[in-house]
Amino acid sequence: MNDSTARDTLIAARPAPDIRHGLVGWLRSRLFNGPVNSIVSLLTLALLVWALTPMVQWALINADWLGDSREACSGEGACWVFISARFETIVYGFYPVAERYRVDITLALMAVTIAWLAIPRMPAKKWVVVFALVGFPIIAWLLLVGGVFDLPHVPTRRWGGLMLTLTVATVGIVGSLPLGVLLALGRRSQMPLVRSLCIVFIEFWRGVPLITVLFMASVMLPLFVPNEVEFNKLLRALIGIMFFWSAYMAEVVRGGLQAIPKGQEEAAKALGLSYWRRMGLIILPQALKLVIPGIVNTFIALFKDTSLVLIIGLFDLLAIIRAGLTDSDWLGFATEGYVFAALMFWVFCFSMSRYSQHMERRLHRGH
Amino acid sequence: MMSSQAATSVPEGTSPASASDQPAMIEISGLNKWYGDFHVLRDIDLKVERGERIVICGPSGSGKSTLIRCINHLEEHQQGDIVVDGMHMTEDVKRIEQIRRHVGMVFQHFNLFPHLSVLENCCIAQTWVQRRPRREAEATAMEYLERVQIADQAHKYPGQLSGGQQQRVAIARALCLKPEVMLFDEPTSALDPEMIKEVLDVMVELARDGMTMLCVTHEMGFARTVADRVIFMDQGQIIEEAPPETFFSAPRSERTRLFLSQILGH
């Protein structure tokens, strides 16, 4: 009749083509499919062996692990005794030995709180968040500073090492995110005064190097403030770091806010939701999810930059290890010290990175 | 796509005339709006009675969407008065939010909240605007999801639904607040052809229940079936308004005739 064709039976479904399974199949398809790839694979492997063998030998196989003085070091590999002998100082800084249990309690409390929030199954998240933002800082401050409930006062200049690094990083992270969100919202505000203030704040703090901020906080500020007002040096550094990073955070968050289609806010408006509800329930949850990589990037940069507090005389993890290098009993162990410091920083930063990837997967909603 | 039965109308008794003792649902007078120098809406006067169903059509850029978006203040107007359910529109945020609680809106691109499940989409305003208890809000949400025949998808996320399903959820979401009037801004324009009917069916049913409706749409079949009045807009002005029978069979203005021939002529 005409050229059209019609099919009256459907083609039966077939299983997908076979893929190679197992180690051999994987090796063959990924590393050795063809002569060029095989050669590249072998060369890479050789390079890895050549580079990693001495490192592993130095750091693990020939290393000295046990002992409590320099005599335990054989000199064939790394001497981790340097670290283990100074471990307490690396963690607690100059915190009085008898009071170090207070740091332990604080760290344990922090670990439990973070774990509770990070594990999806745990109940009562809302209350734990309230505790983490209100209860924990107060408890931590009282415990670490003391001077109440028969706890002897420990001035902040005796804080140091890992505990100082974690204090600065935690306060910086917990403070800069909400502040950054507010600044980002302010920068998009319809109100000219709010918008200008936020722009000036962001551009000021973003335009100044962190080192300058810290110098200003510790050296310049006391010149302008009357002598009677005695600000704590650590507190000043914390505020400086918080402001500095909140400016970066604001721009990251603003990027997320701009990516949310206008229709989302219109729909929320049409439902009668007020500004803060629209932001808190509709816009920010989507925008923040979108910029998790950027936020965590900023967190990681912040964490690593805590070591800059060295220049205003605070001894963080890195500074305390460096200080150990000048100990006349332990000269010549700089490599071990720096490798250990790098490892510590890496562990924290890598954990943040992994957790953020986990969050991204968990919050994925198929759009 | 167009329905040929021009005379099929909504049952008697829901007719708008019976509500004449109450103030009009929406009263717009002398409305003017500019985008910069561009005069989008020119001297619009429009009165919508309770239970009245109005279809607004016109070429693109004629200001029809802008007009209905002024009614819940998604767009700001520079001149004229809008009174919704006896409330004067002002610049006061509280007043605007109060009016929005009486006005439901359905958008061309659905605008469901992608991070919330279908059920949460329907509950969020009930919980945070009307402060209904969670259980009650969910019951109301399920009732309306049932009505738009999508209750079985309540726990899915918008991204997992088809366009037609999303738009039906959007209608249910607006209805959950029990609005006095519903605004539809080209609700079927972004849909694949085979999904338009499921959305129109829901809208026809809503009209049967006596909801006051303003629809910006090009679905002339829908206009014939449902509308009490069809309004034709061009270049920011209302050119013609008439009951659908007259509008389609004997349009008075040349521009209306041209428009109708373009959209019905193929």
Side-chain angles (χ1 to χ4, degrees):
Chain A
M1 279 191 313
N2 55 25
D3 297 339
S4 68
T5 61
R7 189 190 285 284
D8 47 19
T9 50
L10 287 177
I11 298 172
R14 294 187 290 267
D18 209 19
I19 47 162
R20 286 176 199 163
H21 294 288
L23 182 64
V24 176
W26 185 86
L27 281 176
R28 192 170 289 170
S29 63
R30 304 295 168 93
L31 298 181
F32 299 102
N33 61 341
V36 178
N37 281 351
S38 303
I39 291 170
V40 172
S41 295
L42 286 174
L43 281 177
T44 315
L45 204 65
L47 195 71
L48 279 175
V49 170
W50 175 76
L52 286 181
T53 314
M55 207 157 122
V56 171
Q57 266 178 344
W58 176 81
L60 301 174
I61 298 168
N62 295 338
D64 303 301
W65 298 88
L66 299 171
D68 44 18
S69 70
R70 202 192 168 107
E71 277 72 66
C73 301
S74 59
E76 286 162 27
C79 186
W80 299 117
V81 180
F82 169 66
I83 300 297
S84 58
R86 308 190 61 85
F87 191 70
E88 292 249 313
T89 319
I90 291 174
V91 175
Y92 303 104
F94 314 110
Y95 212 84
V97 179
E99 305 297 327
R100 285 179 181 174
Y101 71 94
R102 285 153 58 175
V103 180
D104 295 338
I105 295 175
T106 315
L107 287 178
L109 203 57
M110 183 162 101
V112 170
T113 311
I114 290 175
W116 196 299
L117 291 174
I119 299 171
R121 279 195 311 276
M122 300 304 270
K125 283 269 156 62
K126 211 187 281 176
W127 296 107
V128 181
V129 169
V130 173
F131 173 76
L133 292 179
V134 182
F136 178 73
I138 296 173
I139 294 176
W141 182 256
L142 292 178
L143 260 176
L144 293 178
V145 180
V148 284
F149 308 126
D150 292 340
L151 291 172
H153 176 67
V154 180
T156 51
R157 68 189 138 76
R158 305 200 59 173
W159 298 17
L162 182 64
M163 70 156 287
L164 182 72
T165 297
L166 289 179
T167 307
V168 176
T170 314
V171 172
I173 285 173
V174 174
S176 66
L177 182 60
L179 198 57
V181 168
L182 286 179
L183 286 168
L185 291 177
R187 194 165 183 171
R188 286 163 54 92
S189 166
Q190 304 283 330
M191 290 178 275
L193 187 67
V194 174
R195 192 174 54 232
S196 326
L197 280 177
C198 289
I199 292 177
V200 169
F201 186 95
I202 291 170
E203 296 305 337
F204 171 77
W205 290 98
R206 251 190 346 163
V208 181
L210 183 54
I211 291 191
T212 319
V213 173
L214 292 172
F215 266 132
M216 287 282 284
S218 73
V219 184
M220 303 285 282
L221 198 65
L223 297 181
F224 301 128
V225 184
N227 272 339
E228 305 88 70
V229 191
E230 222 265 291
F231 277 120
N232 183 310
K233 196 205 282 185
L234 175 64
L235 192 64
R236 278 176 288 166
L238 287 178
I239 291 172
I241 286 173
M242 213 162 78
F243 283 176
F244 180 84
W245 287 105
S246 68
Y248 280 87
M249 200 58 82
E251 290 300 280
V252 171
V253 173
R254 195 165 67 94
L257 290 174
Q258 271 167 351
I260 304 300
K262 232 176 133 221
Q264 289 292 308
E265 179 153 23
E266 287 178 352
K269 275 182 179 172
L271 288 172
L273 291 165
S274 64
Y275 175 80
W276 290 108
R277 303 246 158 84
R278 292 201 295 273
M279 292 303 131
L281 298 168
I282 309 297
I283 307 298
L284 280 174
Q286 296 183 59
L288 292 179
K289 191 193 95 182
L290 215 55
V291 292
I292 287 176
I295 292 176
V296 174
N297 205 21
T298 313
F299 283 170
I300 287 176
L302 186 158
F303 191 93
K304 290 189 293 186
D305 278 6
T306 54
S307 50
L308 286 178
V309 296
L310 164 73
I311 59 142
I312 57 165
L314 293 173
F315 281 79
D316 77 311
L317 177 65
L318 181 62
I320 216 112
I321 290 174
R322 277 172 58 104
L325 301 178
T326 58
D327 183 341
S328 53
D329 288 342
W330 288 98
L331 289 173
F333 289 98
T335 321
E336 283 86 343
Y338 286 127
V339 167
F340 181 74
L343 187 70
M344 293 292 277
F345 276 99
W346 183 80
V347 164
F348 282 102
C349 295
F350 186 64
S351 315
M352 285 195 269
S353 156
R354 295 304 300 189
Y355 182 66
S356 82
Q357 284 170 21
H358 162 77
M359 283 284 279
E360 277 178 64
R361 276 195 302 275
R362 204 162 72 79
L363 294 175
H364 186 66
R365 290 288 182 265
H367 62 86
Chain B
M1 216 192 313
M2 307 300 166
S3 161
S4 56
Q5 297 148 296
T8 317
S9 193
V10 180
E12 309 283 314
T14 58
S15 134
S18 63
S20 58
D21 49 329
Q22 282 179 292
M25 191 67 238
I26 297 170
E27 227 177 322
I28 297 171
S29 47
L31 184 71
N32 275 284
K33 176 173 172 61
W34 290 263
Y35 284 129
D37 285 338
F38 181 57
H39 201 170
V40 226
L41 294 177
R42 309 182 191 194
D43 298 326
I44 304 276
D45 293 302
L46 177 65
K47 195 169 170 186
V48 183
E49 300 294 343
R50 277 163 204 279
E52 203 177 8
R53 296 161 288 258
I54 291 180
V55 164
I56 305 173
C57 59
S60 92
S62 59
K64 48 198 195 308
S65 285
T66 312
L67 171 61
I68 70 164
R69 287 159 60 88
C70 282
I71 296 172
N72 63 353
H73 204 270
L74 288 185
E75 299 283 352
E76 226 170 299
H77 60 278
Q78 280 94 35
Q79 254 177 34
D81 275 329
I82 299 177
V83 183
V84 181
D85 205 7
M87 291 175 290
H88 275 267
M89 178 75 74
T90 61
E91 286 304 297
D92 177 44
V93 180
K94 287 276 163 264
R95 169 57 60 90
I96 292 168
E97 281 166 12
Q98 197 183 356
I99 289 176
R100 282 175 181 159
R101 262 172 256 161
H102 292 246
V103 180
M105 188 163 200
V106 174
F107 298 86
Q108 181 178 1
H109 295 288
F110 332 134
N111 296 354
L112 292 180
F113 305 131
H115 62 303
L116 301 176
S117 73
V118 165
L119 188 63
E120 289 165 333
N121 262 281
C122 293
C123 287
I124 195 157
Q126 295 189 69
T127 323
W128 293 97
V129 178
Q130 302 186 322
R131 301 232 155 254
R132 288 190 197 148
R134 189 186 172 79
R135 200 172 289 249
E136 200 182 305
E138 282 183 3
T140 312
M142 287 311 289
E143 184 192 321
Y144 283 106
L145 288 172
E146 205 83 60
R147 270 185 65 178
V148 301
Q149 291 170 21
I150 204 153
D152 50 330
Q153 318 274 4
H155 295 284
K156 287 196 178 168
Y157 286 91
Q160 297 166 299
L161 303 183
S162 75
Q165 290 173 320
Q166 290 193 46
Q167 193 61 299
R168 284 186 283 144
V169 172
I171 295 174
R173 176 176 73 177
L175 290 176
C176 280
L177 298 179
K178 309 216 161 73
E180 305 282 324
V181 51
M182 285 284 285
L183 309 174
F184 292 85
D185 187 2
E186 307 208 24
T188 55
S189 308
L191 294 175
D192 288 335
E194 77 267 27
M195 291 171 185
I196 292 179
K197 189 174 174 298
E198 63 186 65
V199 171
L200 287 181
D201 284 348
V202 168
M203 290 168 63
V204 169
E205 198 174 311
L206 197 58
R208 290 225 170 90
D209 292 342
M211 174 66 78
T212 313
M213 290 166 70
L214 268 87
C215 309
V216 172
T217 182
H218 292 133
E219 295 296 331
M220 292 302 131
F222 174 78
R224 282 197 172 100
T225 327
V226 163
D228 296 306
R229 249 195 299 165
V230 181
I231 290 176
F232 175 69
M233 283 183 73
D234 193 16
Q235 295 179 6
Q237 282 171 297
I238 294 182
I239 303 292
E240 184 159 352
E241 49 179 308
E245 309 87 67
T246 343
F247 183 84
F248 290 110
S249 56
R252 284 196 307 272
S253 111
E254 183 52 41
R255 268 189 283 180
T256 315
R257 266 195 292 271
L258 183 67
F259 175 75
L260 284 176
S261 75
Q262 275 166 350
I263 105 165
L264 299 172
H266 52 84

